Amino acid sequence: MSERTININGVSVTILTTNRTTLELDIASTGNIIVRGPSTTTDDEARDLVNRRRRWIYRQLTHFCETAPENPIKAIKNGETFTLFGRPHTLRITRQEPGASAATAYTHPDLGPTLDLRQHAATNEDDARRTLINLYADETRDWLKNHGRRITQLTTNPDTELKVSWRARTRWITRHKDGSLTLHWALGQLPAILLRELLHRTLDLHSIADGHELDQHLQTLWLGRLQLTPDPEPPTNPATSDTCPKCHTRPGDLHTHWCGLAQCALTGRQRSGCTHPGTTCLTLWSGRWPGQEECEEYGFYYRPGANGAEPCNADDEGAEHDLNRLYRECVWDVRLQRMVLPT
């Protein structure tokens, strides 16, 4: 295989030549224009193909701009949320136990959907990223084993193999020459109905869910970016320092519809996991991370200890707001729009 780059009307175009016999145009998700052809492909042939397909190229580039993932950053800290099949799971950094998995997603009897990350995997960004991606890949693989067959049976090839890759790819689903499909590990964050819709779309089956909603969800998937610091550096502009770090809403205004930080006004839980229609349960951004004011009022703090998180005082070194304890011991008051201690 040989590769070279030419300039066409001010745009760089990559020409990849192999032992293939046909000429083909492709656009990577990064926006790179690629001409694939036989070893005899000339620059003029590539230029002619690009000029003939320029309208298609513009449509594809526009589509990539509109649907490009936001690629959010997750913090490696207690209280961060990781969505699994549409359900937000609260991260808990726990001590290492013999024989225990490095990461486990389950429903805690008191905390609800929970993701436990062992302490040894939470001290390094690379280790945490690898552990969490493997968890998503395994969970998605299990889901396909239970539900994939029902989908492929609707096609002319009911034995289509569905696989999951833990490697970062440029496509959500890759179709191989043998007909098999490989899913991106991050798709395990989608609600099950939207994951089905994406498979239906890929296999040219009938639509079963809102395609626009699917595209919106695909834009917000977490793709593996992590940080060890609890919060990002504050903005340098004081006028925007108190805006929502997710949707940039100003204090006193409603979060945007797709904000990953917004609470549900009826349950107090993360709004992205509720099932209320439309924007009926949107909440206001107060200028503070949800739950911090209540933790300060009730004295709910923790800090990392030798055996994991341990309760502490507000003025202890390394103290952080204990949001897990807040949601474990308090209830949501719809009238006050805050967590309160049960009477």
Side-chain angles (χ1 to χ4, degrees):
M1 182 181 73
S2 65
E3 176 180 336
R4 65 183 187 273
T5 301
I6 64 174
N7 187 285
I8 302 178
N9 299 325
V11 178
S12 294
V13 176
T14 301
I15 302 176
L16 295 177
T17 59
T18 61
N19 58 358
R20 63 184 298 152
T21 59
T22 58
L23 202 62
E24 182 182 86
L25 185 64
D26 190 17
I27 299 181
S29 60
T30 56
N32 295 331
I33 301 174
I34 303 172
V35 174
R36 306 178 191 275
S39 57
T40 57
T41 302
T42 65
D43 291 356
D44 287 339
E45 289 175 328
R47 187 175 289 107
D48 179 62
L49 177 62
V50 170
N51 287 331
R52 282 190 287 109
R53 301 290 304 280
R54 62 182 182 275
R55 291 187 179 179
W56 177 82
I57 293 173
Y58 294 153
R59 289 198 302 270
Q60 289 297 106
L61 292 176
T62 300
H63 175 73
F64 285 143
C65 289
E66 292 176 347
T67 61
E70 298 173 1
N71 201 5
I73 301 177
K74 296 282 189 180
I76 310 173
K77 66 172 185 179
N78 286 298
E80 181 64 277
T81 56
F82 289 85
T83 303
L84 188 61
F85 298 117
R87 300 183 68 195
H89 286 60
T90 302
L91 181 67
R92 292 197 317 168
I93 298 176
T94 60
R95 63 183 180 182
Q96 180 64 21
E97 298 178 3
S101 300
T104 308
Y106 64 105
T107 300
H108 192 283
D110 297 319
L111 305 179
T114 302
L115 196 162
D116 283 352
L117 180 66
R118 304 303 173 191
Q119 194 169 27
H120 74 277
T123 57
N124 179 278
E125 290 182 15
D126 290 335
D127 290 343
R129 180 182 302 108
R130 189 181 307 110
T131 299
L132 292 171
I133 287 176
N134 285 336
L135 171 70
Y136 273 108
D138 290 342
E139 293 287 339
T140 306
R141 195 173 292 113
D142 288 342
W143 186 90
L144 289 175
K145 289 180 181 178
N146 294 327
H147 305 283
R149 180 73 173 176
R150 300 177 186 174
I151 298 173
T152 58
Q153 282 185 334
L154 300 174
T155 71
T156 57
N157 184 12
D159 295 324
T160 298
E161 184 180 6
L162 302 177
K163 300 175 288 186
V164 180
S165 174
W166 53 266
R167 294 186 177 90
R169 291 176 175 267
T170 57
R171 296 180 181 178
W172 295 124
I173 298 182
T174 302
R175 188 193 294 268
H176 303 285
K177 292 182 179 180
D178 62 359
S180 63
L181 302 179
T182 297
L183 279 66
H184 193 293
W185 60 266
L187 295 178
Q189 300 168 59
L190 290 174
I193 185 64
L194 295 183
L195 181 53
R196 290 175 180 271
E197 171 66 15
L198 182 59
L199 284 167
H200 274 235
R201 178 188 293 182
T202 305
L203 295 168
D204 297 325
L205 298 172
H206 62 281
S207 179
I208 59 173
D210 187 344
H212 179 68
E213 183 180 359
L214 170 61
D215 292 335
Q216 291 283 352
H217 271 77
L218 290 174
Q219 286 184 270
T220 61
L221 296 185
W222 174 68
L223 300 178
R225 297 178 65 192
L226 290 171
Q227 63 179 12
L228 285 172
T229 52
D231 296 297
E233 291 295 324
T236 56
N237 182 1
T240 61
S241 61
D242 54 358
T243 59
C244 173
K246 299 292 186 181
C247 67
H248 309 295
T249 292
R250 294 182 178 278
D253 293 337
L254 289 172
H255 288 278
T256 61
H257 185 39
W258 297 104
C259 179
L261 183 60
Q263 293 171 289
C264 170
L266 303 179
T267 66
R269 299 286 177 171
Q270 190 175 25
R271 185 176 176 275
S272 60
C274 77
T275 58
H276 303 121
T279 58
T280 57
C281 62
L282 271 178
T283 50
L284 297 173
W285 168 244
S286 67
R288 297 286 305 279
W289 196 275
Q292 285 188 344
E293 291 183 1
E294 293 96 314
C295 285
E296 293 169 4
E297 179 179 344
Y298 307 142
F300 292 170
Y301 292 91
Y302 81 94
R303 64 179 178 184
N307 297 318
E310 59 184 21
C312 67
N313 298 317
D315 54 358
D316 288 340
E317 183 178 357
E320 294 189 34
H321 300 92
D322 194 342
L323 298 175
N324 283 339
R325 182 181 176 188
L326 177 70
Y327 280 88
R328 184 171 64 248
E329 298 186 11
C330 297
V331 295
W332 178 252
D333 189 307
V334 176
R335 182 178 61 85
L336 297 177
Q337 287 291 285
R338 70 194 310 266
M339 299 297 291
V340 298
L341 289 169
T343 55

